[in-house]
Amino acid sequence: MMKFQKIAILFNFSILLFFITSCAAQQQQNNKVAIVIHGGAGTILPESMTDSLRIVYQNKLEEAITAGHEILKSGGSAMEAVQKSINIMENSPLFNAGKGAVFTHDEKNSLDASIMDGNTLNAGAIAGVTNVKNPINLSYEVMINSPHVLLSGEGAETFAKEQRLEIVDPSYFFTQNRYDALQRVKAKEKSSFYDPNIDDSKYGTVGCVALDENGNLAAGTSTGGMTNKKWGRIGDSPIIGAGTYANNKTCAISSTGWGEYFIRGVVAYDISAQMEYAGKSLSEASKNVIKKLADLGGNGGVIALDHEGNISMEFNTAGMYRASIDAHQNLEVKMFRE
């Protein structure tokens, strides 16, 4: 009898050990975190950049993505990570967002942004803002502290003051190289985004997608829009489903490129829809949608992250400022097509 009792005890212990090991493995699998950022897509070529400038861009991209990843590693949310990474790029004159925003035809800086929570499908966005230091943070406040999704212009600025966000004089956004770029574009009579490193193109935005340890996805996008834009033009960046989308069932997306085509193609949502309804992988869906974008006549790219931590960075331009830290903590920073 004692022998059978010992066998039973050992058997039960083995089952318990297997159960604990399985749970631990499952928990470890569920605790994957990953993050991806972009800083614009266009004609980004090695010959258009000095080695020193390339290092400056690389260091800033690494700083931005590392800051977001640290939040994720410490148990923070994807929403927090997205905002932090984008804040760093908004505060840098290197990118067409926040401090580095391009100028409108009227020689103003007009800022757009959006953010989306993949867990709740809640979202917030702003357009045509001129005095909010970090537009992505205002988008977040719209999402959590208003009944609306998209606010614009003076109304959005009033809301920002009510939420006690940092307000700056519009002159804060002035940078000489962006102003000079506007004058060059005006001289050419083109309505396009111009950057000496993204050569004479319409593409400039920053964005971030993140997956936290709770399995929640988030996406955010921020931009100064198109150099020399007129008539209050708004691109895809503040449009949920075009410039930004996140859904825990599928993926998180941030777009960069010629906004009118991203709006027409509902690019960000289309990637999610192909995954949810057609069973496509993140990579397949991203490639399909960028091809469709090109067929329409549009150019640009997306950063994408699915609920399992898979990453996709698809673009049909010569280059895209981008960086990623995957579920295995591998860091990549790239600018050119490889």
Side-chain angles (χ1 to χ4, degrees):
M1 180 66 70
M2 292 291 293
K3 180 179 179 181
F4 288 114
Q5 285 179 335
K6 289 181 179 179
I7 292 173
I9 290 171
L10 288 172
F11 180 73
N12 290 334
F13 178 76
S14 298
I15 292 176
L16 179 62
L17 184 62
F18 175 78
F19 178 76
I20 291 172
T21 304
S22 298
C23 288
Q26 183 66 35
Q27 184 67 26
Q28 186 177 15
Q29 184 178 9
N30 291 342
N31 284 347
K32 288 179 180 178
V33 300
I35 187 168
V36 192
I37 63 173
H38 72 74
T43 311
I44 305 169
L45 298 169
E47 56 266 29
S48 70
M49 300 179 72
T50 63
D51 289 342
S52 59
L53 185 58
R54 189 184 313 179
I55 291 170
V56 169
Y57 270 97
Q58 181 164 339
N59 288 344
K60 186 57 65 173
L61 289 167
E62 186 169 339
E63 177 190 348
I65 198 164
T66 300
H69 189 252
E70 286 297 322
I71 290 173
L72 297 173
K73 282 201 307 180
S74 63
S77 72
M79 297 296 297
E80 293 173 293
V82 164
Q83 289 180 84
K84 183 63 176 179
S85 290
I86 290 179
N87 284 165
I88 289 172
M89 292 186 285
E90 286 177 331
N91 294 342
S92 169
L94 292 173
F95 306 103
N96 177 20
K99 179 64 176 175
V102 299
F103 285 82
T104 68
H105 182 77
D106 297 328
E107 302 188 352
K108 298 178 180 178
N109 305 106
S110 180
L111 312 173
D112 308 330
S114 63
I115 197 165
M116 188 166 182
D117 182 351
N119 183 38
T120 63
L121 302 188
N122 201 2
I126 55 96
V129 168
T130 62
N131 65 359
V132 179
K133 183 180 180 183
N134 293 112
I136 195 67
N137 295 354
L138 178 52
S139 296
Y140 177 76
E141 294 297 328
V142 171
M143 182 181 76
I144 65 169
N145 287 319
S146 87
H148 308 300
V149 171
L150 176 60
L151 301 181
S152 67
E154 292 182 3
E157 293 170 357
T158 298
F159 181 77
K161 293 175 183 176
E162 293 175 356
Q163 301 306 310
R164 301 184 183 278
L165 292 180
E166 186 171 357
I167 305 299
V168 295
D169 187 90
S171 63
Y172 164 82
F173 299 106
F174 180 93
T175 54
Q176 190 64 50
N177 67 318
R178 300 300 196 196
Y179 182 77
D180 293 343
L182 172 66
Q183 304 311 316
R184 288 193 291 268
V185 170
K186 280 187 172 182
K188 294 179 181 180
E189 294 185 346
K190 290 183 177 180
S191 179
S192 64
F193 169 75
Y194 180 91
D195 184 299
N197 306 300
I198 303 179
D199 191 21
D200 198 19
S201 57
K202 301 178 177 64
Y203 328 113
T205 308
V206 305
C208 178
V209 293
L211 171 68
D212 64 33
E213 65 177 17
N214 295 315
N216 293 323
L217 290 164
T221 311
S222 182
T223 188
M226 183 183 289
T227 292
N228 199 33
K229 62 184 178 183
K230 304 174 184 177
W231 312 301
R233 178 263 186 188
I234 297 170
D236 66 302
S237 294
I239 306 300
I240 300 301
T244 303
Y245 192 74
N247 186 333
N248 279 6
K249 292 181 180 178
T250 54
C251 61
I253 306 290
S254 176
S255 306
T256 174
W258 194 340
E260 281 70 14
Y261 289 92
F262 279 78
I263 295 171
R264 289 165 58 188
V266 201
V267 164
Y269 176 71
D270 194 6
I271 294 172
S272 174
Q274 288 195 27
M275 294 177 67
E276 184 172 3
Y277 303 120
K280 301 292 185 183
S281 69
L282 180 71
S283 177
E284 289 175 316
S286 299
K287 289 176 180 177
N288 288 346
V289 170
I290 293 301
K291 182 182 183 303
K292 287 170 63 178
L293 179 76
D295 292 341
L296 283 175
N299 292 309
V302 297
I303 53 171
L305 179 63
D306 73 13
H307 60 289
E308 295 180 347
N310 297 308
I311 291 170
S312 178
M313 295 179 281
E314 287 293 325
F315 54 97
N316 62 5
T317 52
M320 181 169 73
Y321 296 118
R322 61 203 188 275
S324 64
I325 300 179
D326 65 18
H328 304 290
Q329 301 191 48
N330 298 313
L331 168 67
E332 284 190 346
V333 180
K334 296 183 179 180
M335 298 175 221
F336 315 115
R337 181 170 290 283
E338 298 176 4

